[in-house]
Amino acid sequence: MKVETLQTWFDKHKSDPNYQHRDMSLDELDVKALASFMKMKQVHKQRVIDVCRAYKLVIDEQPETLTRMLRYRFLAQTNLFALCHLLEKYKDTTDKTYVWIDGTTHNTHEEICNEFFVRKDPTVATFKQFAQAYVDQKERLLLVPRGGFKSSIDMADTTQWIINYPEVSVIILTGVLQLAKDFVTEIKGFFKLEEGTMENVNLFETKKAIKPRTMDDDTPFMFQVLFAEHCIDKDDGRESEFDTPASSSEGTGSTVWAASIDQNLSGWHAGIMKLDDVVTNENSRTVDRIININKQVSINQAMLHPYGFYDKIGTWYDSEDTYGQDMKHIKACEKSGDPINMKVYLRPCWWPNAAAVKAGKVESEMLESDYELWFNVPGQLTYQFLRSKMHDAEGFAIKYLNDPTRAHTVKFPRELLERRTIHSNLLPQSGLIVTCIDTAYSTKSWADYTVMITALIYGGRFYIIDMARGKWNEFELPVKIASVANQWRPARMCIEESVGVKWLGKEIYREMDKLRVRVPIEFVPLGKGSKATAKDQKAKPVLRYLGDDRLVFANQMVGLEELYTELANFGTAAGRHDDIVSALSILVDQFSSYADMEGKKQEASPDFVISSQQKQQYDHIYGKGTYDKCFKQKALNVALENPDMSTQEAVKAQQEYAGSYSDPLVDAGLYN
């Protein structure tokens, strides 16, 4: 970046949409910029001026150049997005806009930099004073897709803390120590100088000639010119630590240092703790490892000063990992009305746009035009790139959707479930009613609900008209099953056969006798497959019928919202129950042959109605069925309005009037 380019950089980023001082006048900004500069030691102020003079940022005969230099420093200290571009390594961060699911407009990186991360004030004398006076949330959780520059922005944020408060202490914790060291090395690289010539000997008051790094375009690294007080020799320090020469604090530890989450860190203290990728593919493989990492995260948080800042950045691998625990805690606080202490910024790589949502499209139907993309920049997270990664459903959900609970093996999209829900008035007036029951008798600790699904079978379709779901003990369950039998009088009741369940039969019949109803009960097996595939084997036939529009739900059925939730979460980390899926599986398994045969017979019948909704619309238009009386009443009204006409003549006149509308389906014989 050239000296003259700095003014363009300043002008552009002074008006960034989320920059805290975008509306501040230049005169006001100059006052703050000078205050920030004047709080430094004289030796550091002089070094900055000398280096800036050597690189023509400050020209003695042009006092306005000193003012501009102070503006540039202040902008870098207070605008994180501008700093990312000044550092040049992160110049691919973008302010490209997108429309979020709530219809509001956002941008990819600038709002993360300037609205999510802490807005700093370099005019405050010390970090401690700034932190103690800070009133916003001090804990942050950043979850954006892999390749979304989350760690890059985090490193830039650490750099900004340093140039604001040299005495700050930042610890970077990762799942693997080498990664933390790499992060420190990257931060350190922004301050490392390179070998210079004799004319640079005393520029930084070092024993040998050093100078700001030369960039790929043969221009000096302007960040090092502007913040010369923090720069070090390229051979200075260890790889796991960085100390800025501008710090006047002694005995408080390094400015930035690296550690892994498994290290013994007792006795260390930090003003800022950054957990970046503490959860990894390796340490999230087992429940025990996840529990251990969560414990270490909790223990290590005690290293943070009470007034300090706490940032968590990473990839959300499991609903029970530290990020998942944070999300659960936040939801619990929202539900209870308790204050939320953590600021969360979560974005997936894409989501359905408003038009796709309105059309009720599901993933298998989605095209490029149906998505809104978070980082849709050439060479980044484009539609083509993301499509190429979808073959690994679990990996895609973790790395790019930022939600492991959306890693499906078998999918029941909520949009599809809602599309398969019809108004109860449109249910067929005849058909076979059956009830299928999945009891809570299971070796699985989480299968603690009994579900009773009642369906109407007509025209080859299953219409789910009722669901009873609950936890009933041995005394209550037979009574509940008998009451369902009494309510719906199904032709058959099928109960999944499992250990210890057959005793129910006699007790259910006993309760039915009390209600003077008798429904045949049958205990049926449901193929379980292997332990790894049992769930999928249950779900696939149900999904097939749902996709073919052969399984629909009545909108007034009891428990419809529960059904939506369990099916939408099925096969994900959020799905803790499969009772409803099991009951639907029994239904499809036991009655699919009957439904297919009955459907073929009904289709051949002249009275068959393929769609109750279409039939109702047809009758309404042409005065058939339930609307026949209405048409006749209109004819009677005509007769009353025309006393000269007989009732028969009025009816004929009304029929001729209705007949003036051509029935395009009269020859098809669909409804007559």
Side-chain angles (χ1 to χ4, degrees):
M1 186 180 291
K2 297 179 180 179
V3 174
E4 52 269 26
T5 310
L6 280 171
Q7 186 60 44
T8 304
W9 166 82
F10 177 86
D11 292 338
K12 179 183 185 304
H13 293 291
K14 169 66 168 65
S15 59
D16 283 338
N18 294 283
Y19 177 43
Q20 56 180 316
H21 300 311
R22 73 185 307 262
D23 297 322
M24 182 181 287
S25 69
L26 288 179
D27 289 340
E28 292 174 304
L29 187 142
D30 289 340
V31 172
K32 286 185 172 290
L34 180 60
S36 171
F37 187 73
M38 293 304 293
K39 78 175 189 179
M40 292 195 302
K41 287 184 176 181
Q42 181 58 37
V43 63
H44 297 144
K45 288 188 285 189
Q46 192 59 53
R47 182 176 302 170
V48 171
I49 291 174
D50 289 344
V51 174
C52 288
R53 184 183 290 123
Y55 285 89
K56 308 301 181 185
L57 257 73
V58 173
I59 302 173
D60 293 337
E61 298 78 17
Q62 301 175 23
E64 70 276 7
T65 59
L66 176 61
T67 300
R68 284 201 293 265
M69 181 271 287
L70 296 180
R71 288 176 183 173
Y72 301 155
R73 281 177 55 97
F74 185 77
L75 186 72
Q77 290 173 313
T78 57
N79 185 326
L80 185 55
F81 187 61
L83 178 61
C84 285
H85 288 257
L86 181 64
L87 294 173
E88 299 197 39
K89 188 177 181 69
Y90 310 136
K91 62 185 178 182
D92 287 336
T93 53
T94 178
D95 57 359
K96 182 179 175 64
T97 59
Y98 60 83
V99 178
W100 185 226
I101 55 177
D102 60 2
T104 56
T105 300
H106 298 260
N107 67 63
T108 306
H109 295 121
E110 187 272 336
E111 72 176 11
I112 295 177
C113 293
N114 290 332
E115 199 281 325
F116 173 76
F117 277 102
V118 175
R119 291 171 169 175
K120 305 162 189 73
D121 185 356
T123 66
V124 179
T126 66
F127 168 76
K128 185 175 182 179
Q129 290 178 15
F130 171 78
Q132 288 178 330
Y134 191 79
V135 295
D136 200 358
Q137 295 150 306
K138 290 188 174 181
E139 296 185 15
R140 282 165 169 74
L141 175 62
L142 177 63
L143 297 171
V144 296
R146 183 73 57 86
F149 297 164
K150 57 183 180 291
S151 292
S152 298
I153 298 174
D154 192 32
M155 298 305 100
D157 182 62
T158 304
T159 304
Q160 193 179 54
W161 280 115
I162 295 168
I163 63 177
N164 273 273
Y165 308 106
E167 77 283 1
V168 73
S169 55
V170 184
I171 181 170
I172 297 177
L173 278 173
T174 61
V176 180
L177 180 59
Q178 187 56 52
L179 179 60
K181 290 181 177 180
D182 290 343
F183 285 153
V184 173
T185 298
E186 186 166 314
I187 294 167
K188 206 170 186 178
F190 297 130
F191 301 101
K192 277 189 175 183
L193 302 163
E194 66 180 25
E195 293 183 6
T197 59
M198 289 304 295
E199 64 182 8
N200 307 124
V201 169
N202 292 317
L203 190 59
F204 288 89
E205 298 183 7
T206 55
K207 294 181 180 179
K208 59 182 180 180
I210 52 177
K211 65 174 183 176
R213 282 194 290 120
T214 302
M215 307 307 287
D216 293 338
D217 59 358
D218 292 327
T219 61
F221 188 21
M222 283 300 166
F223 172 77
Q224 292 182 344
V225 176
L226 287 167
F227 295 95
E229 75 272 27
H230 298 285
C231 293
I232 60 175
D233 189 344
K234 68 174 184 177
D235 299 322
D236 186 27
R238 295 181 295 174
E239 64 172 347
S240 60
E241 297 177 8
F242 168 68
D243 290 292
T244 171
S247 176
S248 58
S249 301
E250 295 182 1
T252 58
S254 298
T255 307
V256 185
W257 76 95
S260 75
I261 195 66
D262 290 322
Q263 277 183 264
N264 181 6
L265 302 173
S266 58
W268 294 20
H269 294 283
I272 299 169
M273 182 176 288
K274 287 184 173 288
L275 279 64
D276 202 317
D277 284 332
V278 292
V279 182
T280 67
N281 183 50
E282 189 278 329
N283 66 27
S284 63
R285 289 179 181 176
T286 66
V287 173
D288 289 341
R289 288 287 280 143
I290 290 173
I291 293 173
N292 181 60
I293 294 299
N294 292 348
K295 182 180 179 180
Q296 289 299 112
V297 168
S298 178
I299 292 172
N300 289 330
Q301 194 170 5
M303 297 168 51
L304 189 67
H305 288 304
Y307 53 81
F309 295 87
Y310 185 73
D311 297 338
K312 294 173 81 170
I313 296 95
T315 300
W316 186 6
Y317 278 92
D318 191 276
S319 62
E320 299 302 319
D321 67 19
T322 182
Y323 310 119
Q325 293 298 308
D326 289 337
M327 298 302 292
K328 286 183 179 180
H329 175 70
I330 290 167
K331 287 183 178 179
C333 289
E334 289 175 344
K335 186 175 181 180
S336 64
D338 293 331
I340 300 173
N341 296 323
M342 177 171 277
K343 191 173 188 176
V344 179
Y345 192 97
L346 187 150
R347 291 291 186 272
C349 60
W350 62 19
W351 54 91
N353 58 32
V357 172
K358 185 176 181 180
K361 288 193 173 183
V362 297
E363 186 178 285
S364 60
E365 302 170 330
M366 299 278 281
L367 304 173
E368 182 174 1
S369 58
D370 296 315
Y371 285 106
E372 190 77 32
L373 282 84
W374 177 71
F375 195 3
N376 188 24
V377 174
Q380 305 302 335
L381 303 181
T382 60
Y383 176 81
Q384 290 75 17
F385 172 83
L386 295 170
R387 271 294 177 190
S388 70
K389 299 295 181 181
M390 288 187 68
H391 62 278
D392 177 10
E394 182 177 1
F396 190 79
I398 291 171
K399 297 175 184 177
Y400 299 106
L401 295 180
N402 248 312
D403 187 354
T405 66
R406 295 175 64 183
H408 290 64
T409 304
V410 176
K411 299 185 179 182
F412 293 95
R414 189 181 180 94
E415 297 86 354
L416 180 59
L417 296 172
E418 291 175 351
R419 282 164 56 184
R420 294 294 183 261
T421 303
I422 64 172
H423 196 282
S424 297
N425 290 342
L426 302 179
L427 290 171
Q429 300 303 307
S430 62
L432 178 71
I433 295 179
V434 296
T435 297
C436 295
I437 304 170
D438 175 62
T439 67
Y441 291 89
S442 171
T443 57
K444 301 184 289 293
S445 61
W446 39 263
D448 52 0
Y449 284 93
T450 291
V451 175
M452 307 177 202
I453 292 286
T454 301
L456 173 67
I457 305 174
Y458 177 80
R461 299 173 93 191
F462 293 99
Y463 296 85
I464 310 302
I465 56 177
D466 184 57
M467 182 180 77
R469 182 175 187 259
K471 297 180 180 181
W472 297 290
N473 59 34
E474 288 82 355
F475 306 103
E476 299 168 330
L477 187 56
V479 176
K480 185 62 181 177
I481 295 175
S483 67
V484 171
N486 184 51
Q487 178 183 1
W488 294 104
R489 306 296 173 104
R492 284 175 61 193
M493 297 188 86
C494 295
I495 302 176
E496 182 180 4
E497 184 178 359
S498 60
V499 177
V501 76
K502 284 198 172 182
W503 69 272
L504 272 175
K506 186 180 295 184
E507 297 303 316
I508 295 171
Y509 282 131
R510 190 190 304 274
E511 295 298 329
M512 285 185 183
D513 290 342
K514 294 178 182 179
L515 299 173
R516 297 187 178 183
V517 62
R518 178 61 64 132
V519 174
I521 297 173
E522 186 177 351
F523 291 93
V524 298
L526 184 63
K528 297 180 180 179
S530 67
K531 185 176 181 180
T533 63
K535 280 189 168 187
D536 289 357
Q537 295 304 319
K538 290 180 181 180
K540 285 179 179 177
V542 179
L543 183 60
R544 174 69 178 176
Y545 271 72
L546 189 70
D548 286 350
D549 199 18
R550 290 184 287 168
L551 178 66
V552 296
F553 310 101
N555 71 330
Q556 293 182 2
M557 65 170 282
V558 176
L560 183 62
E561 188 60 34
E562 285 183 284
L563 183 144
Y564 283 164
T565 301
E566 181 174 312
L567 291 184
N569 289 337
F570 182 79
T572 73
R576 298 307 181 96
H577 302 283
D578 67 351
D579 316 283
I580 295 176
V581 174
S582 294
L584 291 172
S585 298
I586 296 170
L587 176 68
V588 173
D589 182 66
Q590 293 297 313
F591 297 101
S592 59
S593 297
Y594 170 82
D596 291 343
M597 183 182 302
E598 187 268 351
K600 292 177 180 178
K601 289 181 178 179
Q602 289 291 344
E603 288 175 9
S605 170
D607 299 324
F608 175 63
V609 176
I610 190 172
S611 168
S612 299
Q613 185 175 12
Q614 291 177 6
K615 176 66 165 62
Q616 190 177 54
Q617 291 173 344
Y618 176 87
D619 289 348
H620 183 262
I621 294 171
Y622 298 107
K624 304 295 178 66
T626 57
Y627 298 95
D628 181 57
K629 292 182 179 179
C630 180
F631 265 58
K632 288 181 179 178
Q633 183 62 48
K634 287 182 179 179
L636 182 59
N637 291 340
V638 172
L640 293 174
E641 293 172 2
N642 299 274
D644 295 336
M645 298 176 63
S646 66
T647 302
Q648 290 77 10
E649 289 173 335
V651 170
K652 184 177 180 182
Q654 176 64 17
Q655 289 175 341
E656 289 175 353
Y657 173 76
S660 64
Y661 291 89
S662 175
D663 178 359
L665 303 177
V666 68
D667 295 330
L670 291 178
Y671 302 123
N672 297 304

